[in-house]
Amino acid sequence: MSAAPRVHYMDHLRALAMLAGVVFHAALAYSPLLHGLWPTADAGGSAAIDVAAWALHLFRMPLFFVVAGFFTALLVERRGLAGLFRTRALRVLLPLIVLLPPVLLSLHALTVAAAAHVRQPSPLLGLLADYARTHDGLPLMPTLAHLWFLAYLMLFTLLVWAVSTLEPSPRLQAALRAWRPSWPVAAVAPIVLVPALAATSSPWPAPESLLPQLWAIAFFGAYFALGYALWLQPALLDRLRRAAPLLVVAALALYAALPWVLGAPRAVPPEPATRWLDAALQAFAGFWLTLGCLIAGRRWLDTANPLMRWLADAAYWVYLVHLPVLFAVQYPLLDVALPWGVKFVLSTGLTLAISLASYQWLVRHTWIGRWLNGARPRQAAGRTRSDALPGN
């Protein structure tokens, strides 16, 4: 049997979203919006960081879930449900179980050390330091941390199995393959996301709790379903290409009306009408930006590129390790007298350099790389990396 081709544009979008994730988490230390809530929050910062970082936030994780849904459909078609579960158990569930404890312990150890030694702590770190002094230490909080994506990916895998066992499932897939939506459908589709976002805070938080959150299941599940539909209906993005510039411009216009862009924070808690307004602005702006990324990726990134392929292969490892690395870099920077922009560039650059170098030297050519990403291309006769993560 001939080798299955690699899906270049989805691989490349995954790589770019991974890079955006490191930038986003590094930016939170200099975000006025999160100054009192983020442990590495620096004394310096700028409203410009909020404008840029929360724009990334609108479409970065939705894009990951679209990629995840796309490759889920690919795996179901090529390997069946049994193959899907074998792949996801090995490369999603097992890494979550094995790596979550060391990730939590490393973040906890870094925070304990910073609380004890940093002279200019962030507001949250200062509170943690006071707590540690009066209670002889800090408790280890049970959370999924940034690995929550893996937990929801497994949940959606289970939902795919549940839907596939229903009698109407073949007819549903046939309907999706025959579906020919036009741009007005894409223009109004985000309305289904509004109730989920209205049920949480604005901007939407990472669902890090150990128990699944209904708003996150509905919100990210919709993007996962979109990705699944894109595999069944590959021409969908081509049909929407002409409308993409208009949708992106409209998305940016809606984003400009959000409170952190206007510099006018909402009342806490916000009025119901305000909460629904912000939810609608986020839902429509985020969906249209995500769609714009997908269309641009299919248009310009659907070709082989050695650098982007390497970054796509590195994406899962970087996703797993970047937050502890980032905290290890940013905690000491709290006491360094440098402009916030320099600290932002330093922390982003060092985190990427350490994460990518460790992938190349410690992971790529080892059993860890085979565990996380599957067989290397030279080992698998060039078959598609449809089980590489995160995003699939």
Side-chain angles (χ1 to χ4, degrees):
M1 183 171 61
S2 61
R6 187 156 175 151
V7 185
H8 295 294
Y9 83 99
M10 283 291 183
D11 270 345
H12 298 166
L13 286 174
R14 175 177 54 217
L16 294 174
M18 175 269 291
L19 294 173
V22 177
V23 173
F24 172 73
H25 284 131
L28 296 183
Y30 314 101
S31 160
L33 188 63
L34 281 196
H35 184 71
L37 303 174
W38 193 248
T40 63
D42 197 86
S46 170
I49 281 289
D50 277 337
V51 174
W54 297 110
L56 276 177
H57 181 67
L58 283 181
F59 64 87
R60 183 182 63 88
M61 290 311 300
L63 185 60
F64 267 132
F65 277 101
V66 172
V67 174
F70 180 90
F71 282 115
T72 297
L74 181 153
L75 284 170
V76 170
E77 183 165 303
R78 293 182 178 173
R79 303 185 186 181
L81 286 173
L84 171 69
F85 273 97
R86 283 194 299 270
T87 299
R88 289 287 159 83
L90 177 64
R91 300 199 175 107
V92 178
L93 182 59
L94 189 58
L96 177 62
I97 294 171
V98 171
L99 297 177
L100 181 59
V103 165
L104 291 180
L105 289 171
S106 62
L107 290 173
H108 181 261
L110 288 166
T111 301
V112 168
H117 300 293
V118 170
R119 299 185 303 277
Q120 301 180 56
S122 66
L124 178 57
L125 187 61
L127 290 174
L128 294 175
D130 292 340
Y131 183 94
R133 282 191 293 270
T134 57
H135 294 80
D136 296 324
L138 291 174
L140 181 63
M141 300 300 294
T143 174
L144 292 172
H146 63 295
L147 304 187
W148 62 266
F149 170 78
L150 301 182
Y152 280 85
L153 182 51
M154 281 305 304
L155 176 60
F156 294 148
T157 301
L158 290 173
L159 291 176
V160 166
W161 170 81
V163 172
S164 298
T165 60
L166 299 177
E167 185 176 343
S169 179
R171 292 196 295 272
L172 176 61
Q173 291 206 22
L176 285 172
R177 290 184 186 278
W179 191 34
R180 296 292 185 271
S182 56
W183 71 264
V185 175
V188 301
I191 198 169
V192 303
L193 304 172
V194 176
L197 292 182
T200 188
S201 58
S202 177
W204 52 264
E208 298 175 346
S209 65
L210 296 179
L211 294 178
Q213 300 180 31
L214 289 178
W215 76 265
I217 294 172
F219 181 66
F220 295 115
Y223 281 106
F224 183 89
L226 173 61
Y228 203 103
L230 287 177
W231 171 257
L232 298 176
Q233 180 56 270
L236 176 61
L237 295 178
D238 295 330
R239 293 176 59 82
L240 300 175
R241 185 188 300 175
R242 290 186 178 181
L246 179 60
L247 292 177
V248 171
V249 170
L252 295 175
L254 293 180
Y255 177 68
L258 283 162
W260 52 86
V261 179
L262 293 173
R266 308 293 197 211
V268 180
E271 296 293 328
T274 300
R275 186 173 69 250
W276 280 87
L277 172 62
D278 287 348
L281 292 172
Q282 290 184 95
F284 279 83
F287 183 84
W288 292 342
L289 287 173
T290 303
L291 201 59
C293 289
L294 291 165
I295 293 170
R298 184 167 170 85
R299 174 66 177 84
W300 289 299
L301 299 179
D302 203 17
T303 56
N305 181 297
L307 175 60
M308 294 299 295
R309 178 169 182 164
W310 184 85
L311 286 173
D313 289 345
Y316 195 9
W317 176 253
V318 174
Y319 160 75
L320 292 170
V321 304
H322 80 276
L323 199 59
V325 173
L326 178 64
F327 276 33
V329 172
Q330 286 190 329
Y331 275 137
L333 284 177
L334 292 175
D335 289 334
V336 178
L338 287 173
W340 71 265
V342 175
K343 292 184 181 183
F344 173 53
V345 172
L346 275 175
S347 58
T348 305
L350 285 172
T351 300
L352 281 172
I354 293 169
S355 301
L356 292 171
S358 64
Y359 168 73
Q360 179 64 29
W361 295 331
L362 302 177
V363 174
R364 182 172 175 82
H365 302 288
T366 69
W367 65 269
I368 303 175
R370 292 190 295 274
W371 172 33
L372 297 179
N373 286 341
R376 300 262 290 121
R378 66 187 179 190
Q379 299 167 312
R383 75 185 180 201
T384 182
R385 300 296 295 279
S386 60
D387 46 7
L389 294 167
N392 2 313

